[in-house]
Amino acid sequence: MDPKNLLRRMFDAAIAAAQPTLCIPPHLPAPPKGRTIVIGAGKASAAMARALEDNWSGPLDGLVVTRFGYRVPCERIEIVEAAHPVPDEAGLKAAERIADMVRGLTKDDLVIALISGGGSALLAAPAPGVTLADKRALSAALLKSGATISEMNCVRRHLSSLKGGRLGALCAPARVVALLISDVPGDDPIDIASGPTVPDPTTCADALAVLARYDISPPAHIRAMLESGASESVKPGDPRLARSEAVLVATPLASLEAAAGIARAAGYAAHILGDGIEGEAREVGKVFGGFARHVALKAEPFAPPCVLLSGGETTVTVRGKGRGGRNVEFLLSLGLTLGGLPGVYALTGDTDGVDGMEDIAGALLAPDSLARARALKIDPLAALDNNDGHGFFEALGDSVVTGPTLTNVNDFRAILIEKA
């Protein structure tokens, strides 16, 4: 099989393994004595809502908010679209409606929360004293800073009226079952959409430390609020969350294992190097490039033909004016490190179909990619310095475009090494 085609089949298998139609039905709770309210936020939330509707015989109603373009038609659950990754007015209004929907419930009621990656931006309900403009500015600064997703979410939780367990607390005394599709390294529920229904062990002081670490100066009123602890989140042991549980229904590792099955069926040994790899994208690309060279040239610690798989979420410190994003930045750095080494191919992409700010999932790398770029008068190193991975691979015709995948289990990276 052509290596590029095999890599794309593996990527498609990883996405398919995390589809809500597959992973939601086995985890649905029993119907309650009282009402069933469905709420949710994230890129997969609309598809999760449809999967729930299709497998729920009793009455229910609710509202979920998803990214523009990710709507899935539902009959009983309202779907609202909003902006991502920088929050907008539509997300704010949806968040306010969700909060109103869960107030005044009883212990006989059930809240099913459908939470997936992207929910932090989509569930845009600022804390009292914080404006949507404040959140937009800080979100944009954090996205360019190189902060990890855990660090960004720490700040978001402490500037929100719903994240960091606050939404779960509003639901009390009703039972809350949060069904989670993980898009974060480590699969910690507090970092999936900034943990709206789970307790938060981090503090306002931690949020201030993140901002200081990346030299981000918040407005004076936000600094004062964080310094005073006035916007502290809901902590472990809070009785309002006593009847709240979180269930992981899809994870990055499960998707990597699905991709590994495709590789093995095609005759390649498949090695999963980790599902939670973080770091600056170009630096991680260098490390993986050096490792792949060693495998290709020395046949250790793995012998070709083989595929090296990994997931996680790298970061990009934006210094140039290119189009991003983190997956293609990793791939371009990987390609420069490999230097056109024969027999080594790679595909990297975001399983939600969006890498950075572009509706492009990622790209493919082949041994001739650098040579083809130079023939087009494109300098690969200059493209990397300008944070323009999308521009680079699009010019080669090697972008990977999936459209809305209706799920999100973070980044997918596969390096295929042919037998020498």
Side-chain angles (χ1 to χ4, degrees):
M1 182 181 297
D2 175 71
K4 287 186 176 182
N5 288 340
L6 177 57
L7 286 167
R8 180 57 191 265
R9 283 188 59 207
M10 293 166 61
F11 186 43
D12 291 343
I15 292 169
Q19 285 301 310
T21 52
L22 177 68
C23 63
I24 289 293
H27 299 284
L28 292 178
K33 292 181 180 178
R35 300 172 60 200
T36 299
I37 306 296
V38 180
I39 58 175
K43 297 173 190 174
S45 62
M48 295 168 80
R50 180 56 185 266
L52 191 159
E53 276 197 354
D54 289 345
N55 292 274
W56 190 268
S57 57
L60 57 78
D61 62 314
L63 184 154
V64 304
V65 55
T66 192
R67 187 181 191 267
F68 282 114
Y70 283 62
R71 176 190 294 273
V72 174
C74 291
E75 295 178 2
R76 292 175 283 172
I77 302 168
E78 183 181 352
I79 308 299
V80 173
E81 293 178 299
H84 178 278
V86 179
D88 68 352
E89 191 72 24
L92 172 60
K93 291 179 179 178
E96 291 172 343
R97 291 180 60 199
I98 286 172
D100 289 340
M101 194 172 290
V102 298
R103 288 188 174 97
L105 298 178
T106 74
K107 63 182 180 60
D108 291 330
D109 298 326
L110 169 67
V111 177
I112 301 177
L114 306 175
I115 307 297
S116 65
S120 287
L122 294 164
L123 201 63
V130 180
T131 68
L132 182 60
D134 291 333
K135 292 204 72 172
R136 285 174 59 86
L138 281 174
S139 292
L142 285 165
L143 286 166
K144 293 181 178 180
S145 71
T148 67
I149 188 62
S150 180
E151 290 170 327
M152 286 191 280
N153 285 348
C154 176
V155 176
R156 287 165 167 164
R157 285 194 295 272
H158 291 92
L159 300 178
S160 172
S161 62
L162 293 183
K163 303 182 187 78
R166 295 179 183 89
L167 180 57
L170 281 179
C171 297
R175 181 189 179 198
V176 179
V177 177
L179 304 181
L180 312 177
I181 293 183
S182 173
D183 71 324
V184 297
D187 303 329
D188 190 340
I190 195 59
D191 279 324
I192 303 171
S194 297
T197 68
V198 296
D200 175 25
T202 68
T203 65
C204 288
D206 294 325
L208 275 170
V210 170
L211 294 174
R213 187 174 305 130
Y214 294 98
D215 197 26
I216 297 172
S217 297
H221 64 286
I222 288 180
R223 179 176 294 279
M225 183 173 64
L226 292 173
E227 288 176 343
S228 70
S231 60
E232 198 53 85
S233 51
V234 180
K235 299 302 176 215
D238 192 299
R240 294 172 295 174
L241 298 182
R243 301 188 69 211
S244 181
E245 61 183 288
V247 181
L248 287 166
V249 302
T251 63
L253 181 58
S255 286
L256 291 175
E257 289 171 341
I262 298 295
R264 291 171 184 140
Y268 291 79
H271 307 284
I272 297 175
L273 304 183
D275 67 343
I277 294 170
E278 299 179 271
E280 191 72 21
R282 65 179 64 195
E283 298 303 322
V284 178
K286 287 180 185 178
V287 172
F288 274 64
F291 187 78
R293 284 187 67 87
H294 190 76
V295 171
L297 298 174
K298 305 292 185 180
E300 61 177 26
F302 310 123
C306 65
V307 174
L308 311 178
L309 291 162
S310 66
E313 185 165 340
T314 59
T315 54
V316 174
T317 302
V318 178
R319 298 183 178 89
K321 297 181 179 179
R323 295 161 52 199
R326 64 178 183 260
N327 283 285
V328 287
E329 179 133 337
F330 166 94
L331 193 63
L332 183 49
S333 178
L334 175 82
L336 284 163
T337 304
L338 290 171
L341 186 67
V344 182
Y345 300 77
L347 184 153
T348 62
D350 198 320
T351 53
D352 65 7
V354 181
D355 186 29
M357 302 293 287
E358 299 272 340
D359 288 334
I360 301 172
L364 282 153
L365 176 80
D368 65 349
S369 293
L370 300 185
R372 287 190 289 126
R374 290 173 178 133
L376 295 172
K377 308 299 183 186
I378 299 171
D379 182 346
L381 184 57
L384 182 62
D385 288 342
N386 196 35
N387 302 119
D388 196 27
H390 278 312
F392 179 87
F393 289 106
E394 192 171 62
L396 300 181
D398 286 336
S399 296
V400 173
V401 179
T402 61
T405 64
L406 307 180
T407 192
N408 184 13
V409 285
N410 223 324
D411 297 342
F412 172 90
R413 296 183 287 268
I415 303 171
L416 184 152
I417 304 171
E418 300 271 54
K419 189 172 183 179

